[in-house]
């Protein structure tokens, strides 16, 4: 942050200790007062008439009085000559908790300005020459790609008929965490469009793990959602009176990779006859390879319509500004919770005790293991199927050039092992905060015990970061990767776990050589534009090129 400098000339005061004054002889003092030129008679008369003041010059109390006066004037100048643009005082140790709160920081955030990290001219100058100009913060070349949602004339003609229809309604029940629900809502809008039906605001199933009873409007801005999609799909808050007594046709299990053709052949006649269709378990059921207009619709829902509710958005933006107040920051999505280690078939690497906890949990509930149950832990690690632990995250960031002074926001649930599990990371990067560290007292109270709302706050601060890195894949990491690509390809580090873990396990590899190898493995994994068409089945909300973005040589339209 640039700090403005006043052009007004400043006066400096030098205080001289009385011991030094007393050590100067009267002859020396007289030589300082008398002109080196030959004394004239008038000057002799002057000093003769002022001989009564010589006593004062020789008196130590007089000099002590002068020192006190100048010191007092200096303190007044320092008190009144301050720059109101600086959010912190010159000495952070003297900041009261009340002043911190007025500036947008809580008492729990005193650590943000610890060790003399003050926003002053010197610190800003140092950061401009160091941390902020680090290669680590350099953004990838977006190659001119920008959002470009141009629907075909055929799609637009069909829209006028679809949004006027009052006979068909689609109801959906979405489950899982906030990011899973988000993906299912995107698919629900597309399925409603395929069937030409109105979409009833999705019902959020109570999460059995966290007990979150949040509704759609608690997490997302419902009126904004309706308005953005008003020309694509009609969104209604509830079934009209003409359909309330209708028993909905219920489909409990949509097959994987369902195509538009399958959906029409399966449901079109039945929804016309019954009037209402109820779908459950939509998670990743809709095909990722859809016609171009439907791909654009997915982007429109994910990146434009699904805006978080105002209270969540307000707090998320506040925390973003608090992280950014001292320069660029990195956001980490850490997947180190107990259930993650159980589901992935991996071990946290903390101690034998914790490994036994995970192994016992997996033996008792083998159905929790997500895939490839025949693989050993070591095989999973080398195949890149395991989350990074704190030590591995720290080594990766160091190898990629993250400065030790980097400010890090970490998102995610409480890690297995608590704060001790994070120590290898916090030792290397001490400026390490989550939403609890950044929030003022009481700010998080409306969102407590509501996991989806807390996840939404994490999403906002992570999406707004200068650099983002997930320690493992998953819905949030994929969603933020796509969102950052759509926003202009902000730097996103995708750990190349499949190729790098063999080097992590090589203890004889010198650190300089290790860093060189890791940098080489990640040159093309830093958020550069990547075409979805290069790999079949990729989700357009993760890889929005070419369906949802075009470069500067192509026409552009905004939503």
């Amino acid at each position: 942050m640039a700090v403005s400098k006043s052009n007004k000339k400043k006066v400096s005061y030098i205080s001289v200790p009385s011991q030094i004054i007393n050590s100067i002889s009267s002859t020396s003092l007289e030589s300082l007062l008398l002109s080196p030129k030959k004394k004239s008679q008038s000057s002799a008369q002057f000093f003769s008439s002022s001989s009564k003041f010589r006593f004062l010059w020789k008196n130590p109390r007089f000099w002590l009085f002068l020192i006190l006066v100048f010191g007092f004037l200096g303190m007044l100048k320092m008190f009144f000559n301050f720059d109101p643009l600086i959010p912190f005082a010159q000495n952070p140790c003297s900041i009261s908790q009340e002043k911190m709160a007025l500036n947008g920081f809580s008492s729990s955030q005193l650590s943000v300005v610890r060790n003399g990290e003050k926003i002053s001219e010197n610190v800003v100058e140092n950061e401009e020459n160091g941390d902020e100009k680090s290669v680590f913060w350099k953004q990838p070349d977006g190659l001119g790609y920008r959002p470009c949602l141009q629907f075909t004339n055929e799609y637009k003609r069909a829209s006028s008929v679809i949004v006027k229809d009052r006979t068909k309604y689609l109801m959906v029940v979405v489950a899982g965490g906030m990011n899973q629900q988000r993906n299912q809502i995107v698919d629900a809008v597309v399925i409603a469009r395929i069937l030409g039906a109105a979409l009833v605001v999705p019902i959020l199933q109570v999460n059995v793990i966290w007990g979150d009873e949040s509704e759609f409007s608690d997490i997302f801005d419902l009126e904004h959602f309706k308005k953005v999609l008003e020309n694509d799909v009609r969104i209604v808050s509830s079934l009209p009176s003409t359909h309330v007594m209708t028993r909905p046709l219920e489909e409990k299990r949509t097959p994987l990779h369902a195509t538009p053709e399958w959906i029409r052949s399966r449901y079109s006649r039945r929804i016309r006859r019954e009037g209402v269709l109820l779908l459950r378990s939509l998670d990743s059921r809709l095909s990722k390879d859809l016609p171009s207009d439907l791909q654009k619709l997915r982007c429109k829902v994910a990146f434009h319509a699904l805006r978080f509710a105002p209270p969540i958005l307000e707090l998320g933006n506040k925390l973003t500004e608090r992280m950014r107040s001292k320069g660029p920051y990195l956001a980490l999505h850490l997947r180190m919770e107990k259930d993650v280690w159980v589901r992935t078939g991996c071990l946290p690497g903390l101690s034998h005790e914790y490994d036994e906890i995970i192994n016992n949990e997996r033996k008792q509930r083998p159905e929790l293991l997500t895939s490839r149950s025949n693989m050993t832990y070591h095989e999973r690690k080398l195949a890149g199927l395991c989350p990074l632990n704190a030590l591995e995250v720290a080594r990766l960031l160091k190898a990629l050039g993250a400065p030790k002074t980097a400010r890090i926001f970490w998102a995610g649930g409480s890690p297995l092992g608590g704060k001790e599990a994070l120590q290898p990371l916090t030792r290397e990067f001490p400026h390490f905060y989550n939403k609890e560290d950044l929030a003022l007292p009481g700010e998080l109270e409306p969102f407590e015990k509501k996991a989806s709302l807390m996840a939404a706050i994490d999403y906002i601060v992570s999406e707004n970061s200068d650099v983002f890195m997930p320690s493992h894949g998953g819905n949030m990491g994929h969603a933020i990767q796509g969102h950052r690509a759509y926003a202009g390809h902000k730097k996103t580090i995708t750990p190349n776990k499949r190729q790098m873990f063999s080097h992590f396990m090589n203890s004889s590899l010198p650190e300089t050589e290790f860093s060189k190898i890791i940098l080489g493995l990640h040159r093309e994994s830093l958020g550069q534009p990547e075409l979805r068409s290069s790999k079949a089945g990729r989700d357009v909300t993760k890889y929005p090129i070419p369906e949802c973005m075009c470069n500067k040589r192509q026409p552009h339209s905004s939503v």
Side-chain angles (χ1 to χ4, degrees):
M1 179 178 71
V3 179
S4 61
K5 296 182 181 181
S6 175
N7 294 327
K8 186 177 179 180
K9 187 175 181 182
K10 297 182 179 180
V11 180
S12 299
Y13 298 93
I14 303 176
S15 299
V16 182
S18 60
Q19 293 91 336
I20 297 178
I21 298 297
N22 292 335
S23 66
I24 302 177
S25 65
S26 59
T27 306
S28 300
L29 284 170
E30 186 175 358
S31 66
L32 291 172
L33 293 170
L34 296 178
S35 169
K37 297 179 182 179
K38 186 177 180 180
K39 301 179 205 174
S40 62
Q41 187 176 357
S42 60
S43 62
Q45 290 175 353
F46 171 79
F47 282 106
S48 173
S49 63
S50 60
S51 60
K52 60 183 179 180
F53 293 104
R54 292 184 179 178
F55 173 75
L56 292 175
W57 294 107
K58 295 180 181 180
N59 191 336
R61 293 182 179 179
F62 175 75
W63 290 104
L64 180 61
F65 173 77
L66 284 180
I67 291 170
L68 291 173
V69 169
F70 283 126
F72 178 73
L73 291 175
M75 289 176 64
L76 287 177
K77 179 174 177 61
M78 290 176 64
F79 181 80
F80 288 105
N81 188 25
F82 67 93
D83 189 345
L85 296 177
I86 300 177
F88 298 108
Q90 293 293 326
N91 181 8
C93 297
S94 66
I95 301 175
S96 69
Q97 292 186 6
E98 292 181 356
K99 289 184 178 179
M100 289 288 287
L102 289 173
N103 285 316
F105 288 79
S106 66
S107 59
S108 65
Q109 291 167 251
L110 288 171
S111 58
V112 176
V113 289
R114 65 181 179 271
N115 300 327
E117 282 191 336
K118 51 188 179 292
I119 298 182
S120 64
E121 295 175 42
N122 292 336
V123 171
V124 170
E125 182 179 350
N126 289 339
E127 288 197 339
E128 287 178 349
N129 294 330
D131 186 12
E132 290 192 13
K133 288 194 175 181
S134 168
V135 176
F136 180 77
W137 304 114
K138 184 179 178 181
Q139 297 298 313
D141 185 352
L143 302 179
Y145 279 101
R146 55 191 176 182
C148 185
L149 299 181
Q150 287 187 321
F151 295 93
T152 64
N153 291 331
E154 181 183 358
Y155 179 92
K156 294 175 183 177
R157 283 193 298 268
S159 296
S160 61
V161 176
I162 290 172
V163 297
K164 292 177 182 177
D165 190 283
R166 298 293 187 273
T167 62
K168 297 173 291 186
Y169 293 87
L170 174 65
M171 299 179 66
V172 295
V173 178
V174 300
M178 188 276 293
N179 290 287
Q180 283 178 287
Q181 293 171 342
R182 194 172 178 274
N183 291 340
Q184 293 169 61
I185 293 167
V186 171
D187 286 354
V189 172
V190 176
I191 293 173
R193 173 73 192 201
I194 292 170
L195 294 173
L199 175 67
V200 181
V201 172
I203 301 166
L204 275 54
Q205 184 174 309
V206 177
N207 193 294
V208 295
I209 299 176
W210 300 290
D212 190 343
E213 299 181 358
S214 300
E215 298 180 357
F216 184 98
S217 58
D218 294 326
I219 305 173
F220 303 105
D221 188 332
L222 178 55
E223 293 308 313
H224 177 80
F225 182 71
K226 291 179 178 180
K227 183 173 180 57
V228 170
L229 297 174
E230 62 185 359
N231 294 323
D232 304 275
V233 174
R234 193 164 69 94
I235 311 294
V236 296
S237 297
S238 60
L239 285 174
S241 58
T242 54
H243 289 68
V244 168
M245 300 304 294
T246 304
R247 183 177 181 179
L249 172 68
E250 183 173 354
E251 182 69 40
K252 295 184 178 179
R253 194 73 173 177
T254 303
L256 287 170
H257 312 301
T259 64
E261 292 74 24
W262 186 92
I263 291 170
R264 290 190 189 99
S265 65
R266 177 77 174 181
Y267 302 130
S268 289
R269 182 180 299 177
R270 299 161 71 183
I271 195 174
R272 280 198 302 267
R273 184 177 66 246
E274 304 294 338
V276 182
L277 171 65
L278 174 62
L279 296 181
R280 299 178 184 271
S281 304
L282 281 180
D283 196 18
S284 299
R285 296 286 158 178
L286 185 63
S287 172
K288 307 303 180 192
D289 298 311
L290 300 173
S292 179
D293 283 326
L294 295 181
Q295 295 286 55
K296 288 179 171 61
L297 179 58
R298 295 190 74 179
C299 290
K300 189 173 182 178
V301 179
F303 304 136
H304 295 274
L306 280 177
R307 186 171 72 184
F308 292 115
I312 298 173
L313 197 59
E314 181 182 0
L315 181 56
N317 288 334
K318 282 182 180 179
L319 301 189
T320 295
E321 290 306 312
R322 290 169 194 173
M323 280 301 300
R324 198 181 296 286
S325 66
K326 299 180 69 183
Y329 72 93
L330 160 71
L332 288 177
H333 184 215
L334 297 180
R335 304 300 310 278
M336 298 170 57
E337 302 96 323
K338 178 182 176 181
D339 68 295
V340 175
W341 296 118
V342 172
R343 287 187 292 103
T344 57
C346 301
L347 298 176
L350 297 172
S351 67
H352 177 72
E353 177 187 355
Y354 284 111
D355 288 349
E356 282 300 306
I357 292 173
I358 297 301
N359 282 326
N360 291 336
E361 183 85 13
R362 197 175 295 129
K363 289 175 183 177
Q364 293 172 10
R365 303 184 64 187
E367 72 278 5
L368 293 178
L369 189 60
T370 51
S371 63
R372 306 186 194 183
S373 57
N374 59 330
M375 296 178 70
T376 66
Y377 161 62
H378 185 72
E379 290 171 338
R380 286 176 174 274
K381 192 85 169 173
L382 291 177
L385 299 175
C386 292
L388 300 176
N389 60 32
L391 177 60
E392 290 159 348
V393 171
R395 291 193 70 192
L396 176 57
L397 289 176
K398 285 180 64 179
L400 293 177
K404 191 175 183 67
T405 55
R407 289 165 286 280
I408 297 177
F409 174 84
W410 71 277
S414 180
L416 177 68
K419 291 185 177 181
E420 291 183 5
L422 297 173
Q423 284 183 355
L425 187 51
T426 56
R427 277 197 299 265
E428 294 294 338
F429 301 97
H431 310 295
F432 197 74
Y433 318 102
N434 63 5
K435 54 186 174 292
E436 284 80 9
D437 299 319
L438 297 172
L440 294 172
E443 280 186 322
L444 286 175
E445 282 184 12
F447 313 102
E448 288 178 352
K449 298 181 181 179
K450 295 183 178 180
S452 293
L453 276 61
M454 297 290 264
I457 294 170
D458 277 343
Y459 187 104
I460 293 169
V461 185
S462 298
E463 198 281 317
N464 287 331
S465 65
D466 298 272
V467 180
F468 171 72
M469 189 182 85
S471 67
H472 191 52
N475 293 301
M476 180 168 169
H478 293 167
I480 291 179
Q481 177 180 331
H483 215 140
R484 291 171 67 83
Y486 193 75
H489 291 93
K490 294 189 289 184
K491 186 171 182 178
T492 303
I493 301 169
T494 304
N496 191 341
K497 293 185 290 183
R498 185 185 295 273
Q499 296 187 45
M500 74 183 189
F501 267 130
S502 60
H503 303 292
F504 272 77
M505 296 176 179
N506 185 356
S507 58
S508 63
L509 190 65
E511 198 66 22
T512 53
E513 185 64 20
F514 171 81
S515 298
K516 184 178 179 180
I517 292 171
I518 296 301
L519 273 171
L521 291 176
H522 290 85
R523 291 195 191 281
E524 304 301 322
S525 305
L526 302 176
Q528 302 94 330
E530 189 172 355
L531 268 64
R532 191 195 71 85
S533 56
S534 63
K535 186 177 180 181
R538 283 185 169 185
D539 192 336
V540 71
T541 59
K542 183 180 178 183
Y543 301 97
I545 299 175
E547 289 92 348
C548 302
M549 300 185 77
C550 53
N551 61 38
K552 58 187 177 183
R553 293 184 295 277
Q554 294 176 308
H556 167 68
S557 70
S558 59
V559 176

